[in-house]
Amino acid sequence: MVSEFYFPRQQGVGCCPPKQEPEIPEYEELNIRLRGYDFTVLESFMKYVHNMADVLDISADAWPVPARTTTVRTFKPFSTKTLHEYNLSLYERVVQIQDVPATMVPLFLEVVQQNLPEGVSMAACEPETEEDKYRYVPDVILEELETQLEELDKAKEERKK
Amino acid sequence: MTQCGPLAFRATNMLNAEPMKKKKKADMTIVIQRDAKKRRRLEKNIRKLEAKGRKLKPIEEIEGNRNMLKTLSMRVRKLEPLSFEESESRALLMKQWTRYKLQQHANEMNTIQTAMLSQQVALQELRNESEELYQQAILIDLEFIPFERQGPVNTPPISGYDVPDGEYVDTTKSFYVPLPEGYKFKLK
């Protein structure tokens, strides 16, 4: 039998302890979006940010986002004939940090910013549905059904008038 | 007397149909009921489709080029095994590098710890001074986010650089496949 003197029984263990309101207000979710043209550097930096969050006791999650590609053409002088053509891919990685105290966020972001490698840009913002949608293949049938639902809504509105 | 030839002239066109009926006005309650039923079915179908899960777009830089993967065996270089001195020096270099990175990490952690500690001390002092100001200080700063920064660049801006004419065309793959003409999804 282990003495309770050395191992005092913890309160609320066994049953679900009620989630306490944190003393310092927290950001629920914050996306740190990293973008760059060199994905090896980007990937390694994503790892760094993720590790840094782990070390600082911030729960974090990371995922890749499909690259955005552009074709860049330069013209010959005084004409629109193509001189050079380049295909550029802008790669993107997102690290999401969750339940971070408001006082911790500026510190953390400053650490990330201080360590930004060459050619990588960062943006910390709240998660957007548009950004999230871009990661997925659009489901045409689902969209079709949703438009039908919207049409029903519209018909309902018109009947009310 | 009977007439045997056709009557060849008519004053007006023949009407082979009844005059148009008046459009029946649909009963409002029935329309509402029908719409409600359709809505329920739509919602159920949407829920089912959503439960299936969405499909992620492929990440090309991670998946790699498939044609290239097939020729992987051709691409392996046959290298001579390293000499003892070389492998030894490499191992030593690796150790040195690890030590350097460890020191760097320790320094970084130290800096962060110091910053966190001084922040806590400052907040505590502020709290001793005035509770109200402290409460203001720990609030979420709405103007802080979005926080956008650019990393360093390879070269400083070249002065007097003559920008060539050109264009940028967005060629991002959209993955959008429209439904075939006249396709109708059967509601279950």
Side-chain angles (χ1 to χ4, degrees), chain A residues 23 25 48 69-71 73-75 93 103 115 118-120 122-124 132 134-137 140 153 159, chain B residues 28 32 35 39 54-55 57 61 108 119 127 138 146-147 149 151-152 154 165-167 169-171 177:
Chain A
E23 201 212 344
Y48 170 82
T69 53
T70 12
T71 304
R73 287 191 198 95
T74 54
F75 297 150
R93 297 285 182 275
T103 49
N115 289 291
E118 179 187 318
V120 174
M122 68 170 289
D132 189 52
Y134 175 72
R135 293 175 61 210
Y136 295 93
V137 175
V140 198
D153 278 337
R159 249 182 274 133
Chain B
M28 253 345 199
I32 289 170
D35 276 13
R39 173 189 300 275
R54 294 189 289 172
K55 205 178 156 202
K57 283 182 192 171
E61 69 268 22
E108 197 169 29
Q119 188 190 43
R127 194 169 206 177
I138 62 170
F147 177 90
R149 294 293 184 275
N154 191 270
D165 233 3
E167 58 177 3
V169 184
D170 190 2
T171 50
V177 186

Side-chain angles (χ1 to χ4, degrees), chain A residues 2 15 21 33-34 52 57 60 65 76 83 96 98-100 102 126-127 133 136 160:
Chain A
V2 190
C15 65
E21 194 67 20
R33 196 180 61 209
L34 308 165
M52 190 50 82
D57 243 355
V65 175
K76 281 178 186 166
L83 183 62
Q96 187 179 66
Q98 294 136 357
D99 303 326
V100 216
E126 311 228 313
K133 215 174 161 188
Y136 295 93
K160 269 183 189 170

Side-chain angles (χ1 to χ4, degrees), chain B residues 86-164:
Chain B
E86 181 60 28
S87 62
E88 198 71 356
S89 82
R90 282 192 191 184
L92 283 176
L93 199 63
M94 195 67 209
K95 279 187 179 176
Q96 213 181 333
W97 173 247
T98 319
R99 251 176 257 132
Y100 170 75
K101 286 307 271 190
L102 182 70
Q103 190 56 47
Q104 197 187 29
H105 181 71
N107 288 346
E108 197 169 29
M109 283 299 120
N110 228 333
T111 320
I112 296 171
Q113 283 277 321
T114 320
M116 276 167 78
L117 208 68
S118 44
Q119 188 190 43
Q120 261 172 23
V121 170
L123 280 173
Q124 194 53 48
E125 287 298 316
L126 186 67
R127 194 169 206 177
N128 294 341
E129 199 68 32
S130 123
E131 178 71 24
E132 197 183 324
L133 282 178
Y134 170 77
Q135 289 301 335
Q136 291 274 320
I138 62 170
L139 280 185
I140 287 176
D141 187 359
L142 291 174
E143 281 174 19
F144 187 66
I145 301 276
F147 177 90
E148 285 175 20
R149 294 293 184 275
Q150 193 80 39
V153 288
N154 191 270
T155 54
I158 303 162
S159 59
Y161 178 65
D162 189 20
V163 186

